[in-house]
């Protein structure tokens, strides 16, 4: 193909077997695009493409749809992204419509019958680890091998403090559930292997395998890339499929073990968080000094 379509917030460069999407870093560009930078999408990862009128006058929209399971970012998002933050949506000036229409026609001609089937593996790369972000009740980090939760004294529930800071190796996980911070009840929850699908889970604020978002916490451009990276690692670590029999018992892994001693960087983060609350008038001088001393004693 060899064509380039430059649109609002991104440009698409078409190769013989893939499209390279490059995202701009402008002030009005969604922050998720800043984090993604660029993404190469093989044509085999796509289900369809279409050209539709844009909501802005004088624009058209090129919209590609990935196959289910082909892109860990979109799989983790589960349809919760705003239209303006959709990485598969390219807004173009109307004069680019003929070239965009030609690309849609050519792509449609090369998509095979499998395009309508779910992908059996991820075909688009997730953002690379290490990644981290702050939730309301703790700090989440992923180094490519394990997901760690470090609870904040000011936000974590007593159930989480009792359980202690958590570390979940990728091999013990079956999936990740991300609920957008832009809706009520936003959270990130890890699903461990051996857990029954119909198991009743505690609320996210009471679950040591989950963190809750809130105003200013777990923002989309911070939490969704991490969720996608975890999902990609979990899929890559899945054991080879085996034949299931009625007598085969479900395999359960041990619960994750709480870490014994927090890292100094995590203690510093907690003290910084306390300082923010103290500065906002939410903690008295005595409360701030007492908790700071407790945290320093953990080093």
């Amino acid at each position: 193909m060899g064509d380039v379509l430059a649109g609002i917030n991104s440009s698409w460069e078409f190769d013989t077997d893939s499209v390279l999407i490059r995202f701009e870093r402008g002030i009005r560009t969604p922050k998720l695009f800043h984090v993604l930078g660029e993404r190469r999408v093989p044509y085999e990862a796509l289900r369809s493409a279409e050209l539709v009128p844009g909501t802005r006058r004088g624009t058209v929209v090129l919209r590609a749809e990935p196959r289910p399971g082909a892109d860990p970012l979109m799989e983790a998002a589960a349809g919760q992204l705003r239209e303006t933050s959709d990485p598969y949506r390219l807004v173009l000036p109307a004069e680019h419509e003929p070239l965009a229409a030609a690309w849609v026609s050519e792509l449609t001609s090369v998509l095979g019958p499998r395009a309508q089937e779910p992908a059996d593996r991820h075909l688009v790369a997730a953002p690379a680890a290490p990644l981290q972000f702050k939730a309301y009740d703790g700090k989440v980090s992923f180094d490519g091998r394990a997901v760690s939760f470090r609870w904040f004294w000011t936000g974590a529930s007593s159930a989480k403090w009792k359980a202690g800071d958590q570390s979940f190796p990728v091999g013990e996980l079956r999936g990740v559930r991300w609920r957008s911070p832009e809706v009520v009840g936003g959270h990130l929850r890890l699903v461990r292997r051996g857990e029954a699908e119909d198991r009743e889970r505690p609320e996210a604020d009471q679950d040591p395998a989950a963190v809750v978002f809130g105003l200013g916490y777990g923002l989309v451009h911070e939490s969704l890339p991490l969720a996608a990276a975890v999902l990609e690692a979990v899929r890559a670590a899945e054991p080879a499929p085996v034949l299931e029999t009625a007598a085969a018992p479900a395999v359960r892994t041990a619960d994750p073990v709480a870490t014994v001693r927090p890292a100094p960087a995590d203690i510093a983060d907690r003290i910084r968080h306390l300082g923010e609350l103290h500065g906002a008038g939410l903690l008295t001088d005595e409360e701030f000094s007492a908790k700071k001393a407790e945290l320093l004693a953990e080093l």
Side-chain angles (χ1 to χ4, degrees):
M1 295 182 179
D3 296 314
V4 177
L5 285 173
I8 299 175
N9 297 330
S10 63
S11 63
W12 292 18
E13 181 179 341
F14 304 101
D15 206 339
T16 55
D17 60 354
S18 62
V19 55
L20 178 62
I21 303 177
R22 301 181 189 273
F23 299 101
E24 296 179 356
R25 297 183 61 85
I27 297 177
R28 297 184 179 181
T29 304
K31 290 184 178 180
L32 177 61
F33 292 176
H34 291 194
V35 175
L36 296 179
E38 66 177 40
R39 314 188 81 210
R40 184 168 291 280
V41 181
Y43 296 140
E44 65 173 320
L46 297 178
R47 182 177 186 177
S48 64
E50 62 177 349
L51 194 62
V52 298
T55 54
R56 299 185 186 181
R57 185 176 180 181
T59 63
V60 293
V61 176
L62 175 57
R63 172 75 171 91
E65 181 184 0
R67 293 168 59 189
D71 185 343
L73 185 84
M74 303 306 286
E75 184 177 352
Q80 299 176 77
L81 283 178
R82 292 184 179 183
E83 193 175 67
T84 53
S85 297
D86 184 349
Y88 288 88
R89 183 175 180 270
L90 178 64
V91 181
L92 296 162
E95 57 265 26
H96 290 173
E97 182 174 359
L99 183 57
W103 181 81
V104 169
S105 177
E106 188 168 350
L107 174 64
T108 302
S109 68
V110 301
L111 293 180
R114 294 190 62 189
Q116 302 305 313
E117 301 174 2
D120 57 5
R121 59 189 176 89
H122 288 143
L123 300 169
V124 183
L131 296 165
Q132 63 181 21
F133 70 90
K134 287 184 179 180
Y136 173 73
D137 53 358
K139 178 182 177 181
V140 185
S141 58
F142 177 56
D143 62 3
R145 300 180 300 274
V147 183
S148 299
F149 293 163
R150 309 287 185 184
W151 306 124
F152 291 151
W153 170 74
T154 51
S157 64
S158 58
K160 291 183 177 181
W161 273 110
K162 183 177 180 180
D165 292 343
Q166 302 289 304
S167 181
F168 301 85
V170 165
E172 295 182 4
L173 300 178
R174 179 165 56 85
V176 57
R177 302 286 184 267
W178 180 81
R179 181 172 171 83
S180 174
E182 296 177 346
V183 299
V184 176
H187 63 267
L188 182 145
R189 190 193 301 269
L190 302 175
V191 183
R192 287 172 283 183
R193 295 189 186 279
E195 289 182 343
E197 291 285 351
D198 58 353
R199 173 179 176 239
E200 185 175 347
R201 301 289 298 269
E203 294 294 330
D205 65 336
Q206 301 296 317
D207 187 353
V211 292
V212 297
F213 304 149
L215 185 62
Y217 293 94
L219 302 176
V220 171
H221 68 280
E222 298 175 342
S223 59
L224 179 58
L226 185 143
V230 173
L231 184 59
E232 180 182 64
V234 168
R235 294 287 183 270
E238 285 182 345
V242 296
L243 294 177
E244 295 183 358
T245 62
V251 178
R252 290 186 176 272
T253 57
D255 288 338
V257 179
T259 56
V260 176
R261 183 181 296 274
D266 294 319
I267 295 294
D269 277 344
R270 293 188 189 180
I271 293 176
R272 197 174 300 114
H273 184 64
L274 285 173
E276 293 173 356
L277 294 172
H278 180 241
L282 299 177
L283 290 177
T284 65
D285 292 342
E286 292 76 13
E287 290 171 333
F288 172 71
S289 299
K291 188 56 188 178
K292 181 179 177 180
E294 290 179 20
L295 293 174
L296 290 174
E298 295 182 25
L299 292 174

